[in-house]
Amino acid sequence: MTSRRVDARQFGRESERLAERHLRGLGYAILERNVRLAEGEIDLVAKHGAVVVFVEVKARRTSAMGGAVFAVNGEKRHRLIRAAAQYLAVHRMDDQPSRIDVVIIQHVPSGEAIIDHLENAIEVPGHDLRW
């Protein structure tokens, strides 16, 4: 494995930890991390009150090419919706309210990270996430 790939994985893990800490500070309970399903991967699964929240974490070191916000494209949105629906079905939670959030982490040259939490960031066709 190249050092560049290891560095990217480490950066991803650190960014997910930042997102998790941010969400916990807002009162979210983290249920699972890095959930792998046939339909895709979910970075974080959380509960906020009675709502099951699926969280996609996107982080970038620079704002080149528009930054992290542009990394959640159409295909990624479809995979997230399918994975969330599958998760709800497998865990017999399809009767609970749910949504998909995106946490964007933009690192800046000073070494700080700017966190932007977009609640209900991905519109789900229909009235819910049924599998």
Side-chain angles (χ1 to χ4, degrees), residues 1-84:
M1 189 176 323
T2 67
S3 64
R4 186 178 194 137
R5 187 176 295 160
V6 170
D7 184 47
R9 283 187 183 164
Q10 181 177 346
F11 177 74
R13 283 192 301 268
E14 289 172 10
S15 297
E16 286 177 2
R17 282 193 292 270
L18 281 172
E20 185 175 337
R21 187 169 43 240
H22 171 77
L23 292 169
R24 284 184 192 278
L26 295 173
Y28 288 66
I30 305 301
L31 303 178
E32 295 192 61
R33 294 164 199 81
N34 301 313
V35 178
R36 295 185 195 281
L37 301 156
E39 294 295 331
E41 182 178 325
I42 301 168
D43 293 330
L44 298 168
V45 180
K47 283 281 277 226
H48 192 231
V51 180
V52 179
V53 183
F54 301 97
V55 182
E56 175 68 12
V57 178
K58 285 296 178 191
R60 293 293 183 266
R61 290 186 170 108
T62 70
S63 60
M65 299 179 66
V69 70
F70 291 101
V72 184
N73 61 23
E75 179 55 33
K76 181 64 177 176
R77 285 191 299 271
H78 292 294
R79 282 196 312 266
L80 284 167
I81 291 168
R82 290 190 309 261

Side-chain angles (χ1 to χ4, degrees), residues 72-131:
V72 184
N73 61 23
E75 179 55 33
K76 181 64 177 176
R77 285 191 299 271
H78 292 294
R79 282 196 312 266
L80 284 167
I81 291 168
R82 290 190 309 261
Q86 184 180 16
Y87 182 94
L88 291 170
V90 166
H91 290 85
R92 301 188 194 289
M93 300 169 86
D94 19 12
D95 60 337
Q96 294 188 22
S98 60
R99 69 173 195 254
I100 301 173
D101 291 4
V102 175
V103 173
I104 299 168
I105 301 176
Q106 186 67 58
H107 292 266
V108 293
S110 67
E112 295 179 62
I114 299 168
I115 299 174
D116 193 11
H117 177 194
L118 307 173
E119 289 186 16
N120 206 26
I122 297 175
E123 293 274 337
V124 178
H127 65 295
D128 61 5
L129 289 171
R130 294 197 193 250
W131 180 247

